[in-house]
Amino acid sequence: MNHPLSSSVPPSPELRAAASDLMAEYGLRIDEDRLEDWIDLFDQICDYKVVTRENIEQGLPNVLIWCDNQDMLRDRIASYRDVNEYNLHWGRHVIGPLRFCGRVYAADQALARADRAPIWVIEAAYSLYQTDLEGASRLFSVGRYRAEIIASPAGTLARIRSMLVIADTALIPTLLAAPI
Amino acid sequence: MSFQVHWERDDYSRIPFHLYHDPAVYALEMERIFRGPCWSYLCMEAELPRLGDFRTTWVGDTPVVVSRDAQSGAIHAFVNRCSHRGAMIVRKTHGNAPEHVCIYHRWCYRTDGELTGIPFRRGLKGEGGMPADFDMAAASPQRLRIANVNGLLFGTFSAASEPIEQYLGEFGMGMIQRFFHKPVRILGYSRQLIGGNWKLYAENLRDTYHASLLHEFFVTYGVDRATQKGGVKMDARHRHNMNHAYTATDTQEEARAAYAGNAGVALDRMRLRDTKLLQHTPEFDDRMNLAAPTFFPNALVVQINHSLATRQIRPKGVDALEVFQTVFGYADDSDELTRHRLISANLVGPAGFVSMEDGEAIELIQKATASTTDETNIIEMGGRGAITDQAHRVTETPVRGFWSYWAELMGVEPPGGVR
Ligand code: FES
Ligand SMILES: [Fe+2]
């Protein structure tokens, strides 16, 4: 568990730029099918979860995808590459402006950075379109990201500590294979 | 409507593709199956813990409210359609209410569905209003008969349905008791919209042949392989089905030999970096790690290792269906076990390692068969002729069982059709 800080310290311009680059890379690497590179945007200690707003609003914990460490994330992508079958398509993420929601420090000492670099909570809306191989596009999922990101002390090189994808689109068209 | 099917064979080993595409067939199915003598799965009693709790659901394409009576605590189900001009009465997926009010002209319904209030019923100052002899109770929305089997709620529109014990049979009742032998805890929901006819999903659940082939994850990571001990069981009428398998009853060598040479099935190509997803300690007396009883027309209860869920088929027109999944654990699960069930949820649902492919396979059939006239499929894996249980899973015989009951309900059995 992380504890929110009451401080209203604003993020530095450098951190804003780094976080914004991070999320741009996040979407583009998925859309370009560079999923192994997409994992590199996560910290060594990380968590990736896709849930639906329908469950969140009822306080229910069910997940569509939950990788609670980087190994599970790599397993998910390896299975996507070599094992699972899915509808053939190109994906396209459109990610909205970031909102900085505050800072937390890792309460667990094992998770705490030696340099006490803060973890920032950011949110952004997304829409994800799918285009099939004959060129027909559809809106596949819309929702929001709520991410915890870690920056270097200089405020650059942000990494994702945890990514919670809250899909408004509970009714998944066809299936969900590639990450959102 | 007079409706006929040209069956090429009387054992349902050939199904004409047009039955997945014809809107008139779909309309008739809604009438003769979903509003006919079948018991449809509605939801779980655990989803309605308090007086006045309600959930909206679907029986075929009919919107239905399931509610716990605000006074007596009894469970009711009624059609979610205002008696006045037909507006949907309850708009939320779930909630709690002492009564239900249609927003259009504010007709008011008790939690058992009875119409109890009509604004301006007597008019204003002696003018307007409903005729004095208008009978509110008689005008109430249609109610379903309810059956509660260990907390699993079924409903039927028909007074002619068999008693539920007989409908589900010993087989079905026993399997429900297996899953629902103690109080459950609802963990949440998932939904998947598949561009295919609802029968393609019903068939998919009865086709154990595809499981280890389409869902390669099963085999690659040793979750389930056709070489494990297991099989298919049906009720006496062959309308329900269960695919099941037992943990660790084959060897790596057996599996390797069986799947050798199957393009696209590469055993042990990879190992999981994190194997906790597959950790399984048998929690049922029968030690099955995979059990998936399917109940005609719309229900599945599924266990894959520690992941437990019900699935409800919701037909959405002739060429679409929703799979509505309710994931559960037990009220006495430890936090650790709940967490493990949630990690196991990676296996099932629309993004499930061993389930996502069904959506694609069904859409491929719907797309490729739209243009057909009298072409048929081939359903012979596991044999032709009589429909029987099998102690292996290299079979799609229960699919023929589904069709034989479908044909009976639709009134289109061929002369001498197998049952
Ligand atoms: S349609 Fe419901 S009150 Fe008129
Ligand atoms: Fe399947």
Side-chain angles (χ1 to χ4, degrees), chain B residues 265-284:
Chain B
V265 180
L267 201 65
D268 285 337
R269 184 159 54 205
M270 306 177 282
R271 291 244 166 247
L272 289 176
R273 286 182 173 79
D274 186 337
T275 55
K276 70 170 172 291
L277 176 64
L278 303 182
Q279 275 164 22
H280 177 239
T281 314
E283 61 176 313
F284 296 97

Side-chain angles (χ1 to χ4, degrees), chain B residues 261-340:
Chain B
N262 282 314
V265 180
L267 201 65
D268 285 337
R269 184 159 54 205
M270 306 177 282
R271 291 244 166 247
L272 289 176
R273 286 182 173 79
D274 186 337
T275 55
K276 70 170 172 291
L277 176 64
L278 303 182
Q279 275 164 22
H280 177 239
T281 314
E283 61 176 313
F284 296 97
D285 294 342
D286 54 29
R287 299 186 66 82
M288 285 192 262
N289 73 315
L290 188 151
T294 302
F295 302 112
F296 194 99
N298 74 338
L300 170 76
V301 185
V302 57
Q303 172 208 354
I304 295 174
N305 291 352
H306 291 291
S307 147
L308 304 172
T310 64
R311 286 185 213 158
Q312 184 192 44
I313 303 175
R314 300 179 173 182
K316 297 288 169 190
V318 72
D319 54 10
L321 75 117
E322 177 182 340
V323 181
F324 183 82
Q325 180 167 264
T326 307
V327 179
F328 66 90
Y330 297 105
D332 64 0
D333 286 351
S334 64
D335 289 351
E336 192 191 354
L337 181 52
T338 298
R339 185 182 169 96
H340 188 52

Side-chain angles (χ1 to χ4, degrees), chain B residues 82 84-87 102 104-107:
Chain B
C82 183
H84 179 220
R85 297 256 293 277
C102 175
Y104 202 171
H105 313 86
R106 308 282 170 188
W107 284 29

Side-chain angles (χ1 to χ4, degrees), chain A residues 47 52 54-55 57-58 60-72 74-76 78-80 82-88 132 138 170-177, chain B residues 55 93-94 185-194 214 216-217 220-221 269-274 276 322 324 327 339 342-343 345-346 350-353 356-357 359-360 363:
Chain A
D47 190 277
T52 65
E54 178 178 30
N55 284 307
E57 304 236 334
Q58 293 179 67
L60 294 170
N62 189 42
V63 297
L64 296 178
I65 298 177
W66 185 12
C67 302
D68 72 355
N69 61 45
Q70 215 183 75
D71 281 345
M72 282 191 82
R74 292 196 185 277
D75 288 337
R76 202 17 111 163
S79 181
Y80 172 83
D82 296 319
V83 176
N84 291 120
E85 300 288 348
Y86 47 85
N87 55 319
L88 303 176
D132 71 20
R138 65 176 176 183
L171 186 60
I172 310 283
T174 313
L175 60 89
L176 170 63
Chain B
R55 290 255 156 203
T93 55
H94 66 281
R185 176 182 166 201
I186 306 295
L187 296 178
Y189 304 95
S190 71
R191 300 168 186 258
Q192 188 172 4
L193 183 67
I194 300 176
L214 174 65
E216 197 190 331
F217 189 98
T220 302
Y221 297 113
R269 184 159 54 205
M270 306 177 282
R271 291 244 166 247
L272 289 176
R273 286 182 173 79
D274 186 337
K276 70 170 172 291
E322 177 182 340
F324 183 82
V327 179
R339 185 182 169 96
L342 292 171
I343 288 285
N346 278 297
F353 281 126
M356 67 169 87
E357 287 89 358
E360 172 67 356
E363 292 191 0

Side-chain angles (χ1 to χ4, degrees), chain B residues 81-89 101-109 115 117-119:
Chain B
R81 185 189 301 128
C82 183
S83 308
H84 179 220
R85 297 256 293 277
M88 192 172 271
I89 304 163
V101 181
C102 175
I103 62 161
Y104 202 171
H105 313 86
R106 308 282 170 188
W107 284 29
C108 182
Y109 299 87
L115 173 62
I118 297 180

